[in-house]
């Protein structure tokens, strides 16, 4: 395990990831500093979600180095469970236990992984449910909650593990439009509190308002990165401008049929990646 003398929470160097013959990440270099909010944007299939999943080794990189909070997760000898305790991750699909109440969803990992007693776990869970505006939903089961409420419970669950950084993989993509705002409000408050965050998102307003830095990916590489005012407000690269035109004003953007998603000859089914 490699110790790093650095203020960076995440360091990624020459990261490659392939699924069979399909190379999804083609040499990514990225650093996320402590307390920084970095939003990763780009079209479907650009490698955004795979990049995020490589950070906590949910996907094993083909090559390259990933260091999180001073521990090299790509080291074969790394204690990945210990490293993951420092990382909170929020997925598109909530991933709550359907047979457990909101309170139970927040306390189960605290008690089994962090070995907290029942009273301490409940106290921390209540504080985090209050933090996301759901103090009145302790006894509710996931099926009794809206999608936005389920996602806020998922965020509270991650926070209950006292993470040093948070990874968000398209946290609002499965939500009805009217429910998106509540989740983004929670994420804004986390950013204001100084939480280190790496966020894969299509929410351009959030990226523009909250991110310290925006990274635009396409085709498994970083095309452009910088402050939101530059990347979102005045992008340098034509590919970034085209993407933003389609996202910000889909009706006005021209149809680009040459980008139809087809599997290359001989590769079989292409893995979809956000």
């Amino acid at each position: 395990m490699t110790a790093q003398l650095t203020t960076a929470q995440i360091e990624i160097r020459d990261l490659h990831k392939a699924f069979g013959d399909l190379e999804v990440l083609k040499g990514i270099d990225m650093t996320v500093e402590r307390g920084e909010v970095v939003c990763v944007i780009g079209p479907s299939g650009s490698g955004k979600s795979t990049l995020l999943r490589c950070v906590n080794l949910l996907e094993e990189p083909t090559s390259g180095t990933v260091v999180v909070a001073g521990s090299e997760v790509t080291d074969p000898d790394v204690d990945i469970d210990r490293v993951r305790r420092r990382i909170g991750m929020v997925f598109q699909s909530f991933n709550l236990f359907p047979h457990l109440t909101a309170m139970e969803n927040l306390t189960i990992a605290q008690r089994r992984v962090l070995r907290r007693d029942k009273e301490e776990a409940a106290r921390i869970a209540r504080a985090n449910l209050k933090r996301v505006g759901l103090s009145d939903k302790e006894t509710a089961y996931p099926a009794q909650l809206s999608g936005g409420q389920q996602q806020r419970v998922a965020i509270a669950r991650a926070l209950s593990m006292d993470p040093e950084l948070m990874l968000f993989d398209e946290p609002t993509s499965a939500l009805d439009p009217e429910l998106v705002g509540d989740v983004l409000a929670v994420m804004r408050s986390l950013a204001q509190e100084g939480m280190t965050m790496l966020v894969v998102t299509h929410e351009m307003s959030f990226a523009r308002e909250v991110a310290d830095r925006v990274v635009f990916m396409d085709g498994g590489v970083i095309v452009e990165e910088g402050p939101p005012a530059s990347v979102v407000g005045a992008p340098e690269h034509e590919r970034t401008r085209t993407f933003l035109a389609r996202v910000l004003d889909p009706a006005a953007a021209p149809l680009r049929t040459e980008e139809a998603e087809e599997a290359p000859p001989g590769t079989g089914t292409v893995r979809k990646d956000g």
Side-chain angles (χ1 to χ4, degrees):
M1 195 179 303
T2 304
Q4 304 289 323
L5 296 177
T6 176
T7 61
Q9 284 286 72
I10 303 172
E11 292 183 276
I12 300 169
R13 296 289 174 261
D14 196 27
L15 183 65
H16 292 254
K17 175 61 182 179
F19 298 97
D21 294 332
L22 179 65
E23 190 174 20
V24 176
L25 299 178
K26 304 175 182 178
I28 299 294
D29 292 295
M30 180 189 296
T31 300
V32 180
E33 298 292 337
R34 189 180 306 276
E36 189 178 26
V37 178
V38 176
C39 285
V40 183
I41 64 174
S44 296
S46 60
K48 307 184 304 295
S49 291
T50 296
L51 170 64
L52 205 68
R53 293 171 67 86
C54 283
V55 171
N56 62 358
L57 225 61
L58 292 177
E59 296 286 0
E60 187 171 347
T62 304
S63 64
T65 302
V66 178
V67 177
V68 177
S71 297
E72 183 183 335
V73 302
T74 42
D75 185 331
D77 296 324
V78 71
D79 182 351
I80 190 60
D81 291 332
R82 185 184 66 82
V83 177
R84 283 177 179 153
R85 291 173 194 171
R86 307 167 78 175
I87 306 170
M89 185 156 185
V90 178
F91 300 88
Q92 299 178 34
S93 55
F94 322 140
N95 289 4
L96 299 176
F97 293 110
H99 63 290
L100 300 180
T101 65
M103 173 63 74
E104 290 166 340
N105 265 283
L106 266 65
T107 57
I108 186 170
Q110 291 189 67
R111 297 183 66 186
R112 293 187 178 181
V113 177
L114 301 183
R115 302 300 180 186
R116 289 173 177 160
D117 62 37
K118 182 178 180 179
E119 290 73 22
E120 182 185 14
R123 176 182 59 78
I124 291 170
R126 286 192 180 95
N128 282 305
L129 283 173
K130 182 178 180 180
R131 198 173 179 182
V132 301
L134 293 174
S135 292
D136 60 336
K137 300 297 183 183
E138 283 188 20
T139 60
Y141 289 90
Q144 298 171 315
L145 301 172
S146 70
Q149 290 171 334
Q150 290 184 60
Q151 191 62 292
R152 283 187 282 156
V153 170
I155 294 173
R157 177 180 60 183
L159 293 173
S160 293
M161 301 298 286
D162 296 332
E164 294 182 24
L165 65 146
M166 292 282 288
L167 308 177
F168 292 88
D169 186 9
E170 303 271 19
T172 61
S173 66
L175 303 179
D176 291 334
E178 66 269 22
L179 303 177
V180 169
D182 290 339
V183 173
L184 294 181
V186 171
M187 294 171 64
R188 283 187 179 92
S189 69
L190 290 178
Q192 291 167 358
E193 293 168 12
M195 176 66 74
T196 306
M197 297 163 61
L198 182 57
V199 184
V200 170
T201 185
H202 285 300
E203 299 291 342
M204 293 302 113
S205 61
F206 178 85
R208 184 186 288 116
E209 296 167 17
V210 180
D212 297 297
R213 187 156 42 94
V214 174
V215 174
F216 173 65
M217 288 183 63
D218 189 32
V221 300
I222 294 176
V223 176
E224 187 168 355
E225 65 177 303
S230 298
V231 177
V232 180
E236 294 182 2
H237 292 264
E238 178 60 29
R239 182 65 188 96
T240 314
R241 289 194 291 269
T242 303
F243 168 77
L244 289 170
R246 293 182 65 82
V247 170
L248 297 174
D249 191 0
L255 180 64
R256 290 159 52 246
T257 55
E258 72 274 14
E259 286 197 3
E261 296 184 33
E262 298 178 355
T267 62
T269 301
V270 174
R271 175 191 173 100
K272 299 286 185 181
D273 177 79

